[in-house]
Amino acid sequence: MITRLNQAFINLTSHPDFGKLLLRLTFGVLMLFHGVAKVQHGVGWIAGMLAAKGLPGFIAYGVFIGEIITPVLIIIGLFTRQAAFIYAFNILVATLLVGMGKFFTLTDVGAWGLESEALYFLGGLSIMFLGAGKYALSADKEKEWR
């Protein structure tokens, strides 16, 4: 009986392309909120942090690529793997700029200090490795490498 229940559950929930869509929508929409905040409030504070580290401030405008353009591409499923790579890179750079002081910390509830950053980064990598699936503007053309 347990085997039959398990098989019924597997049959009911075996929808990998829907799972890929859900993953893309989740990470894409959540990152768009960050991008909209940058549009509303500007990136001057990011340029200031970059300048303090000896980097040119104009690099701050790259945040619009990583937090607006790539999430939109991920959501609609166009150049998904490439967009997810840029998305993950954007999170990595942001973490290196502002989050490294939290690397060895725990929050009051026991979460890792960089938990959100890790979640976004690994979500981006997951999307990159999984691809868009069939619910996308441009379904990935998978090739076997032999």
Side-chain angles (χ1 to χ4, degrees):
M1 180 167 148
I2 291 176
T3 303
R4 288 175 49 200
L5 283 173
N6 184 48
Q7 190 59 49
F9 184 77
I10 289 170
N11 291 340
L12 184 66
T13 61
S14 183
H15 302 285
D17 286 308
F18 181 74
K20 291 175 184 181
L21 174 64
L22 188 58
L23 188 69
R24 288 184 8 242
L25 290 174
T26 300
F27 283 94
V29 169
L30 289 175
M31 183 55 72
L32 270 177
F33 285 112
H34 293 268
V36 168
K38 305 299 188 306
V39 169
Q40 291 175 333
H41 305 291
V43 294
W45 61 279
I46 299 172
M49 282 192 300
L50 289 165
K53 297 192 183 291
L55 297 168
F58 74 86
I59 295 174
Y61 291 97
V63 78
F64 294 122
I65 295 169
E67 295 184 10
I68 295 176
I69 294 172
T70 60
V72 168
L73 291 173
I74 288 169
I75 289 167
I76 65 175
L78 187 61
F79 301 111
T80 306
R81 292 178 189 269
Q82 298 87 339
F85 174 77
I86 295 167
Y87 176 106
F89 181 76
N90 180 70
I91 295 298
L92 182 63
V93 170
T95 303
L96 291 172
L97 277 176
V98 298
M100 290 313 295
K102 299 186 291 182
F103 193 83
F104 295 106
T105 64
L106 294 177
T107 67
D108 292 339
V109 295
W112 182 33
L114 292 174
E115 183 174 283
S116 294
E117 292 85 347
L119 185 62
Y120 279 105
F121 177 72
L122 294 172
L125 290 182
S126 296
I127 293 167
M128 181 184 75
F129 289 121
L130 290 170
K134 72 177 182 180
Y135 303 120
L137 280 185
S138 174
D140 294 328
K141 307 294 185 235
E142 302 294 332
K143 289 185 177 182
E144 286 187 31
W145 292 90
R146 293 184 185 193

